Amino acid sequence: MNKTDLEILNGYLFNTFNGYLFNTFNSVVKLDDRFNIEICYNTRLNSKLEAKIIVPEKFKKNYSEFCDYILTSGVINEIISTLYQFYLKDLTELREQNN
């Protein structure tokens, strides 16, 4: 895959995950330059939570194989689950800080 593929896929990830889940606008889901998925979340107390999903090399060779892998392997569920865990941690930190 090439830089254009990376930009297109990052656009899809941005439009799909950034700010729409759990009413948060402080999360970023994107591909790094090696086509692995990075999940970053800034809490309301300015902590940074990060996770990375490593995509197997064999799926990084062409665009359609990569998309097929992302859509059928449970990666989407893993992204949503990670964002949800970060959101819960954010709420817990905020609650503890306010008590």
Side-chain angles (χ1 to χ4, degrees):
M1 290 195 300
N2 57 39
K3 187 174 180 173
T4 303
D5 294 335
L6 180 65
E7 291 172 4
I8 290 169
L9 289 166
N10 269 329
Y12 289 140
L13 288 172
F14 181 83
N15 289 330
T16 303
F17 293 108
N18 297 330
Y20 298 108
L21 297 174
F22 320 114
N23 288 328
T24 61
F25 292 93
N26 48 357
S27 62
V28 176
V29 178
K30 67 177 186 163
L31 296 174
D32 65 12
D33 59 347
R34 297 189 39 87
F35 290 91
N36 294 311
I37 300 169
E38 294 179 343
I39 304 168
C40 300
Y41 185 101
N42 291 317
T43 68
R44 286 168 263 205
L45 296 176
N46 294 323
S47 308
K48 190 171 189 179
L49 305 173
E50 297 179 315
K52 186 178 252 187
I53 299 171
I54 306 296
V55 177
E57 289 296 322
K58 66 182 179 179
F59 297 108
K60 296 178 184 179
K61 294 179 181 166
N62 74 45
Y63 187 83
S64 63
E65 285 182 18
F66 183 83
C67 291
D68 187 51
Y69 172 76
I70 296 297
L71 294 173
T72 62
S73 68
V75 170
I76 301 298
N77 289 338
E78 190 172 347
I79 292 169
I80 293 169
S81 175
T82 300
L83 286 171
Y84 185 66
Q85 289 170 11
F86 288 172
Y87 173 73
L88 290 177
K89 184 171 176 116
D90 184 17
L91 289 178
T92 302
E93 286 179 1
L94 195 60
R95 186 178 307 128
E96 288 173 357
Q97 185 71 20
N98 288 330
N99 286 335

